[in-house]
Amino acid sequence: MREEPEARDEPGARGEQVLRSTRVVTPEGERGASVAVRGGTITAVLPYDAPVPDGALLTDLGDDVLLPGLVDTHVHVNDPGRTEWEGFATATAAAVAGGITTLVDMPLNSIPPTTSAAHLEVKRAAARGRVHTDTGFWGGAVPGNAGDLRPLHDAGVFGFKCFLLPSGVDEFPQLDAEELAAALAELTRFDGLLIVHAEDPGLIGDAPQQAGPKYADFLASRPAAAEDAAVAGLIALARRFGARVHILHLSSASALPMIAAARAEGVRLTVETCPHFLTLTAEEVPDGATEFKCCPPIREAANQDALWQALADGVVDCVVSDHSPSTIALKAKDTGDFAAAWGGISSLQLGLSAVWTEARRRGHGLADVARWMSAGPARLAGLDGVKGAIAAGHDADFAVLAPERTFTVDPARLHHRNPVTAYAGRTLHGVVRAAYLRGALVARDGELTAQAAKKPAGRLIERPAGGSSR
């Protein structure tokens, strides 16, 4: 046996290795364990004091918590075409520094958008050899591309995103009611998954649209009723077609009762929310602080309480970042005008710590966080057989967390391409000490390892054959 508790810059042993911690989060809960790995795969989860095989590399993590690597199914990488906003290299470096080992890229904000198999190949070419996480892709459903949906599905996308109102970029237009029904009808032919930005365009259009720096004015322009109406319409369509529908970035807690009722009825509906909806509140957003702008918006504290309860009750399936970065100029920081600013929260590197900070305050454990941020997204993407759990047969993807250590967010120290985030200056619990991808150490104490920086270890991944969520 070789033991190397401190010098761990190597990407991982090709032979057998064992990671030992007094706190390992498994699907059965948290316990002391030794996790055996060979060839990038977990071979066994053993008792803490199990003998280490001769020749195996032991990494003793002490009391740091070994979590399954996070899976983030809602990331806007914006590459190619808008790489001044982000990019595969910076996004995936930020991800592993924050404990995320698998992500799925959204089909818009890149040029071209991922709306055809040919465009998917452009996206893959831009990502190949540059990703520090395993990286997959969503396709897009836009007007006129119904014939592209099956080829995209066959090419391995995980599902199809659409908007019900303008997306913010001209090359990815929204679907009207007729186009939405046609897209769902096509997806049911091969049991494809539709993921939806759910806000009703009519109710948004009727809401007061007041430019300026007041957050209350921006919040009034994106009422919860617009989310509720859109969710109700999607439930009706999912019921009508027997289709799989996923609600993206739910912020309106008033939609939760109808979601729970539909799921109890057997409607094939899944739902996500985001760290910013769980950790930030409208009451604390300063006027002019456009780094807090996102759509749908951050709502009031009482709304946040209901979202946490829905997570605890299993009504909301997962927590993902919706990392939607832009340049500082597009955030209109010079004027503080919420109407003019790009809508999106930069949080890819911070989601685990942000959610854990609030979860621990509310009495939740790290097993809950792993269920929401690793197992749940993996299940959504059909990856739950290989990602999202510390269990034999799964990829050896891990995040190592010092849960009681704190840090204060300095945007300049993040790997995001642009140093702007709504979490700036916040003190968060939970320092990500390391990340492993298929047994390879790829990040430590917020930085890429030398080997990972030289040769990114991430792979481009596809939807598993027959993979589905609910």
Side-chain angles (χ1 to χ4, degrees):
M1 181 186 75
R2 292 185 296 126
E3 183 169 353
E4 198 173 64
E6 295 298 332
R8 299 195 295 267
D9 283 326
E10 295 83 357
R14 288 297 176 189
E16 189 166 10
Q17 57 180 317
V18 175
L19 286 79
R20 174 181 287 167
S21 170
T22 62
R23 302 180 64 184
V24 176
V25 176
T26 73
E28 294 76 36
E30 183 182 313
R31 68 180 192 271
S34 291
V35 181
V37 175
R38 181 181 290 276
T41 300
I42 299 169
T43 57
V45 181
L46 304 168
Y48 175 80
D49 55 359
V52 177
D54 289 342
L57 173 68
L58 172 66
T59 300
D60 193 332
L61 301 170
D63 295 330
D64 286 347
V65 181
L66 188 66
L67 292 158
L70 270 57
V71 178
D72 193 338
T73 53
H74 196 147
V75 181
H76 294 271
V77 177
N78 308 331
D79 194 0
R82 290 190 173 94
T83 51
E84 71 275 17
W85 296 18
E86 195 59 273
F88 284 109
T90 53
T92 58
V96 293
I100 297 164
T101 51
T102 303
L103 65 81
V104 187
D105 174 53
M106 282 291 165
L108 73 156
N109 299 346
S110 59
I111 301 173
T114 317
T115 52
S116 70
H119 290 177
L120 174 63
E121 287 309 308
V122 174
K123 179 72 70 80
R124 285 176 170 159
R128 195 167 288 117
R130 299 175 58 213
V131 293
H132 300 283
T133 63
D134 281 358
T135 302
F137 303 94
W138 296 108
V142 296
N145 86 324
D148 291 298
L149 302 183
R150 183 59 188 255
L152 274 165
H153 176 83
D154 292 343
V157 300
F158 286 83
F160 301 88
K161 181 175 186 176
C162 74
F163 278 76
L164 307 184
L165 74 175
S167 70
V169 291
D170 292 341
E171 66 274 2
F172 200 95
Q174 74 272 25
L175 299 179
D176 63 23
E178 183 177 339
E179 292 162 340
L180 176 64
L184 266 180
E186 175 62 18
L187 293 183
T188 58
R189 298 178 191 277
F190 50 89
D191 202 31
L193 173 65
L194 187 70
I195 66 174
V196 187
H197 182 122
E199 290 182 285
D200 181 87
L203 289 176
I204 296 288
D206 291 341
Q209 304 295 322
Q210 179 66 48
K214 291 187 177 298
Y215 186 73
D217 289 340
F218 170 65
L219 185 59
S221 76
R222 314 292 292 216
E227 278 193 86
D228 300 347
V231 169
L234 288 164
I235 289 171
L237 283 171
R239 183 186 294 116
R240 171 185 164 192
F241 288 103
R244 294 196 295 136
V245 174
H246 178 72
I247 306 299
L248 297 166
H249 45 47
L250 182 75
S251 80
S252 171
S254 50
L256 291 167
M258 76 176 94
I259 290 168
R263 289 161 62 113
E265 178 193 331
V267 175
R268 303 172 75 196
L269 184 72
T270 50
V271 184
E272 69 184 39
T273 194
C274 303
H276 40 279
F277 299 138
L278 298 171
T279 63
L280 308 173
T281 62
E283 291 90 339
E284 65 186 315
V285 178
D287 288 344
T290 53
E291 62 270 26
F292 289 84
K293 179 181 176 179
C294 56
C295 300
I298 296 163
R299 303 195 188 277
E300 299 83 358
N303 183 88
Q304 183 183 94
D305 291 341
L307 290 175
W308 275 101
Q309 188 61 53
L311 271 174
D313 293 342
V315 176
V316 174
D317 299 272
C318 53
V319 178
V320 291
S321 69
D322 188 13
H323 178 67
S324 185
S326 71
T327 62
I328 295 174
L330 284 172
K331 275 297 189 181
K333 292 296 294 177
D334 54 338
T335 64
D337 184 354
F338 277 95
W342 177 259
I345 304 289
S346 291
S347 63
L348 192 58
Q349 191 169 335
L350 300 169
L352 173 56
S353 300
V355 171
W356 169 235
T357 299
E358 186 65 14
R360 68 188 292 278
R361 188 181 76 81
R362 291 175 179 264
H364 298 288
L366 282 166
D368 298 317
V369 174
R371 186 172 67 254
W372 300 328
M373 303 188 76
S374 188
R379 187 178 308 112
L380 172 70
L383 292 170
D384 43 322
V386 290
K387 305 285 187 182
I390 297 179
H394 283 61
D395 288 350
D397 298 346
F398 308 114
V400 179
L401 187 74
E404 300 308 316
R405 286 184 58 187
T406 62
F407 67 101
T408 300
V409 177
D410 177 0
R413 299 193 65 180
L414 302 176
H415 289 278
H416 306 159
R417 186 175 296 277
N418 291 284
V420 56
T421 177
Y423 293 97
R426 287 183 170 260
T427 297
L428 301 178
H429 275 81
V431 172
V432 179
R433 297 293 309 277
Y436 290 79
L437 181 62
R438 290 185 307 280
L441 178 66
V442 292
R444 186 171 62 185
D445 293 328
E447 299 296 333
L448 297 173
T449 63
Q451 178 65 26
K454 180 180 179 181
K455 185 178 181 181
R459 297 175 181 172
L460 304 188
I461 58 174
E462 299 181 3
R463 171 190 45 79
S468 66
S469 58
R470 186 176 300 268

